[in-house]
């Protein structure tokens, strides 16, 4: 009986993983068409091979799944493990056009960049980025855009129809809030919001690109790609100098706006679109985010000013503000070279490191602890202080406002504390591994925070020359951090249980 139950579990997981994998494969049509448009024949062929591979893999999975099993109801375990499997297999298939392009030193490097894109991290091992074909650059940025909204959100929007247990898949990708009662409608709302911003953001960056001297075609694609990375807090850019390439205050200001709103909760965007503008000022996540951002910007600014890294307040403000916002939103855009971080004081670097770990909002494209959890921990502290100074017979109730007024309960505290603890433990272990690989402690800690919280800022550790073991570790922590550990832990637990049963 237990063996039969295990077999049913595996087949159901394979079924939904297959659909997600084929959905991701279908999106490769976009870079394939772009490659054809620019007569990049080899690149277009690379994507055709990857598309065929994704559909072949998906159909092999489906071959073993009878019709009656496909109608079974998903459990929480099925949903989480299916997402874990789909992300891992999707990484392998998505790396094929990268590797075949010749711009990566190994298949591991190509897989690293796919996971970095899907998790909206932005760390990269691509070589000679300034000469990468348009088709490859389109795939790099499309991955961040898909990953920001969620691979499962994409599948729920366009592939699955009235599936039982859709919410389990949705939660498996570290999204919990249902904007609408129906999970599929929630997924579609997320994509509608993103596409609206995609149109507006691309036009804004396109116009700025032409103002600063890019040709209309080049300005359009750069605008499209930079917006995709900004909105998805992904950190990729079409040039090796990242945002510094444009040498434009206008470009940086546009980035300020889109990386900030991209880090906000999709439920908040939905409420604003419906005319509830007051939610922006009342929402605990927004209040928490701007409070921690302001404090950390002061820390970084003081660190830069004390060391005299930049001359004049305006330069300190411009560099400090941009990178603290880039770190706190989990974007990873940079207007300096990685090596220049070594000229920053330890205080300034520490401020960036904390900002990366704190992250943006829940149910957004950002990573890290999330402002919602930081706010919950703060309100828990307030509640405990009130309890200490109140009579023993007093009943202390603490509320916070997040879309609606919410009574703080132990489940909120437990969930926030557990996730933050997992992030901290993962960060510490990753930093220790980095030092064991020969990197200085501060460098290893900075890069560990960037990978764990899916940020993408680099102090120079992430290069094609870094040890293979560290590449594998970063792939795992980017993956685990983006899925907020639960789905990955469920997958590992399922494998151990399957082995034990056998």
């Amino acid at each position: 009986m237990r063996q039969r139950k295990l077999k049913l579990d595996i087949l159901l997981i394979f079924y939904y993983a297959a659909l997600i994998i084929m959905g991701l494969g279908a999106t490769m049509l976009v870079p394939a068409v772009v490659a054809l448009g620019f007569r990049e024949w080899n690149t277009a062929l690379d994507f055709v091979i990857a598309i065929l591979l994704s559909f072949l893999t998906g159909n092999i999975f489906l071959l073993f799944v009878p019709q009656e099993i496909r109608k079974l109801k998903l459990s929480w375990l099925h949903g989480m493990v299916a997402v874990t499997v789909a992300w891992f297999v999707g990484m392998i298939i998505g790396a094929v056009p990268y590797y075949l392009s010749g711009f990566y030193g190994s298949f591991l490097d190509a897989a690293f960049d796919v996971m970095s894109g899907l998790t909206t991290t932005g760390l990269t091992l691509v070589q000679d980025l300034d000469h990468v074909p348009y088709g490859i650059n389109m795939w790099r940025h499309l991955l961040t855009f898909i990953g920001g909204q969620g691979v499962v959100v994409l599948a729920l929007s366009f592939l699955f129809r009235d599936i039982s247990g859709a919410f389990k898949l949705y939660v498996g990708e570290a999204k919990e809030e249902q904007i609408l009662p129906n999970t599929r409608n929630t997924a579609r709302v997320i994509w509608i919001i993103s596409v609206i911003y995609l149109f507006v953001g691309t036009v804004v960056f396109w116009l700025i690109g032409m103002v600063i001297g890019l040709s209309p075609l080049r300005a359009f694609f750069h605008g499209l790609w930079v917006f995709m990375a900004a909105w998805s807090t992904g950190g990729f850019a079409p040039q090796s100098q990242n945002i510094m390439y444009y040498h434009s205050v206008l470009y940086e200001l546009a980035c300020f706006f889109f990386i900030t709103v991209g880090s906000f909760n999709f439920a908040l965007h939905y409420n604003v679109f419906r005319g509830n503008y007051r939610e922006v000022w009342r929402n605990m996540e927004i209040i928490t985010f701007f409070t921690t951002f302001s404090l950390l910007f002061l820390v970084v600014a003081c660190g830069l000013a004390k060391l005299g890294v930049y001359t004049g307040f305006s330069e300190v403000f411009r560099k400090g503000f941009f990178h603290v916002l880039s770190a706190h939103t989990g974007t990873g855009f940079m207007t300096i070279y990685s090596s220049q971080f070594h000229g920053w004081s330890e205080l300034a670097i520490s401020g960036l490191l904390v900002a990366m770990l704190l992250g943006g909002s829940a149910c957004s494209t950002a990573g890290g602890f999330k402002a919602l959890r930081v706010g919950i921990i703060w309100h828990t502290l307030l509640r405990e202080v009130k309890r200490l100074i109140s009579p023993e017979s007093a009943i202390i109730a603490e509320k916070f406002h997040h879309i609606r007024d919410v009574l703080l309960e132990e489940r909120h505290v437990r969930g926030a504390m557990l996730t933050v603890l997992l992030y901290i433990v993962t960060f510490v272990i990753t930093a220790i591994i980095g030092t064991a690989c020969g990197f200085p402690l501060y460098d290893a800690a900075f890069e560990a925070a960037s990978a764990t919280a899916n940020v993408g800022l680099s102090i120079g550790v992430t290069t094609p020359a870094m040890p293979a073991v560290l590449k594998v570790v970063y792939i795992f922590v980017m993956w685990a951090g983006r899925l907020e550990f639960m789905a990955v832990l469920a997958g590992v637990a399922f494998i151990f249980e399957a082995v034990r049963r056998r």
Side-chain angles (χ1 to χ4, degrees):
M1 178 63 74
R2 295 180 70 185
Q3 285 290 87
R4 174 172 169 76
K5 174 67 168 59
L6 175 61
K7 183 179 179 181
L8 291 176
D9 288 341
I10 293 173
L11 291 177
L12 194 58
I13 288 165
F14 270 29
Y15 173 61
Y16 286 105
L19 294 181
I20 296 170
I21 290 163
M22 289 191 292
L24 184 62
T27 62
M28 293 188 199
L29 287 169
V30 176
V33 169
V34 169
L36 287 172
F38 284 93
R39 298 184 179 183
E40 298 167 350
W41 312 121
N42 290 338
T43 301
L45 180 60
D46 295 342
F47 280 107
V48 170
I49 292 170
I51 291 168
L52 293 174
L53 184 60
S54 70
F55 279 89
L56 177 63
T57 304
N59 278 289
I60 290 173
F61 278 21
L62 294 178
L63 215 75
F64 297 98
V65 186
Q67 286 294 333
E68 60 270 17
I69 290 179
R70 302 180 189 189
K71 298 176 183 178
L72 294 177
K73 187 175 182 179
L74 276 173
S75 68
W76 290 108
L77 178 66
H78 295 140
M80 288 189 173
V81 178
V83 169
T84 303
V85 171
W87 273 62
F88 182 76
V89 178
M91 174 191 71
I92 301 299
I93 296 172
V96 170
Y98 278 173
Y99 181 64
L100 294 177
S101 72
F103 284 87
Y104 290 86
S106 67
F107 192 84
L108 178 61
D109 289 6
F112 181 100
D113 266 32
V114 173
M115 185 58 76
S116 182
L118 281 175
T119 57
T120 71
T121 303
L123 294 172
T124 183
L125 297 178
V126 65
Q127 299 177 15
D128 195 16
L129 176 57
D130 295 330
H131 298 98
V132 163
Y134 273 79
I136 293 295
N137 245 330
M138 175 58 79
W139 183 228
R140 293 177 70 240
H141 293 87
L142 186 60
L143 275 172
T144 67
F145 194 64
I146 294 169
Q149 281 47 254
V151 177
V152 169
V153 172
L154 174 71
L156 288 171
S157 300
F158 304 108
L159 296 180
F160 301 154
R161 293 186 178 276
D162 302 320
I163 65 167
S164 176
F167 188 60
K168 274 81 171 182
L169 288 169
Y170 182 71
V171 171
E173 205 168 48
K175 288 182 170 63
E176 297 180 15
E177 295 187 38
Q178 281 194 272
I179 300 171
L180 297 173
N182 181 278
T183 306
R184 192 160 184 253
N185 290 338
T186 294
R188 285 181 169 177
V189 163
I190 289 174
W191 271 100
I192 289 170
I193 291 170
S194 297
V195 169
I196 291 171
Y197 275 107
L198 175 65
F199 176 78
V200 174
T202 301
V203 169
V204 169
F205 280 113
W206 184 17
L207 294 174
I208 295 173
M210 288 189 289
V211 167
I212 63 176
L214 297 179
S215 69
L217 184 63
R218 189 171 172 81
F220 171 77
F221 277 101
H222 276 237
L224 174 65
W225 295 333
V226 171
F227 170 79
M228 283 180 168
W231 170 253
S232 300
T233 61
F236 281 157
Q239 301 292 147
S240 59
Q241 292 181 315
N242 208 269
I243 302 303
M244 181 173 60
Y245 171 80
Y246 303 101
H247 295 286
S248 167
V249 175
L250 283 176
Y251 230 87
E252 291 175 26
L253 288 173
C255 288
F256 286 162
F257 176 78
F258 288 113
I259 67 178
T260 302
V261 297
S263 72
F264 288 169
N265 195 305
F266 280 108
L268 176 65
H269 286 290
Y270 181 71
N271 273 267
V272 171
F273 276 24
R274 288 173 59 87
N276 184 13
Y277 305 113
R278 291 183 60 203
E279 184 62 31
V280 176
W281 316 112
R282 299 179 62 205
N283 192 280
M284 182 187 71
E285 274 195 304
I286 303 302
I287 296 170
T288 302
F289 175 85
F290 281 106
T291 300
T292 53
F293 169 76
S294 300
L295 292 173
L296 289 168
F297 170 63
L298 285 175
V299 170
V300 171
C302 288
L304 293 176
K306 184 177 180 181
L307 202 63
V309 178
Y310 300 107
T311 57
F313 173 78
S314 62
E315 195 67 11
V316 169
F317 180 86
R318 183 176 173 184
K319 299 297 184 184
F321 189 94
F322 186 92
H323 288 96
V324 174
L325 187 63
S326 180
H328 207 324
T329 58
T331 304
F333 277 162
M334 298 172 63
T335 59
I336 61 175
Y337 292 109
S338 297
S339 59
Q340 289 180 281
F341 277 130
H342 290 110
W344 288 31
S345 68
E346 291 185 355
L347 180 63
I349 292 295
S350 297
L352 281 187
L353 193 152
V354 173
M356 287 192 285
L357 289 174
L358 291 180
S361 298
C363 194
S364 72
T365 63
F369 298 170
K370 307 290 177 63
L372 179 61
R373 296 190 184 99
V374 175
I376 287 173
I377 293 171
W378 171 251
H379 278 276
T380 302
L381 178 63
L382 291 179
R383 186 186 66 180
E384 295 308 307
V385 170
K386 290 177 183 177
R387 185 172 291 167
L388 285 173
I389 62 177
S390 300
E392 290 185 13
S393 59
I395 299 175
I396 307 300
E398 186 72 23
K399 290 184 178 180
F400 62 90
H401 183 83
H402 176 60
I403 309 302
R404 63 185 184 280
D405 289 332
V406 181
L407 179 66
L408 181 64
E409 300 175 6
E410 290 309 313
R411 63 185 178 89
H412 298 131
V413 179
R414 187 169 56 250
M417 291 288 194
L418 176 61
T419 304
V420 169
L421 178 62
L422 286 170
Y423 269 112
I424 292 173
V425 169
T426 305
F427 157 68
V428 171
I429 293 173
T430 306
I432 291 171
I433 294 172
T435 57
C437 288
F439 294 99
L441 177 59
Y442 245 75
D443 290 10
F446 187 94
E447 215 82 357
S450 184
T452 305
N454 306 130
V455 179
L457 290 178
S458 177
I459 202 167
V461 173
T462 302
T463 66
M466 74 178 178
V469 65
L470 198 55
K471 294 175 185 178
V472 173
V473 169
Y474 284 174
I475 286 173
F476 179 79
V477 299
M478 287 189 292
W479 182 33
R482 175 63 177 83
L483 299 181
E484 295 188 345
F485 306 102
M486 289 299 106
V488 175
L489 290 176
V492 173
F494 180 80
I495 292 170
F496 276 114
E497 179 65 12
V499 173
R500 189 182 68 81
R501 287 184 185 181
R502 296 187 71 87

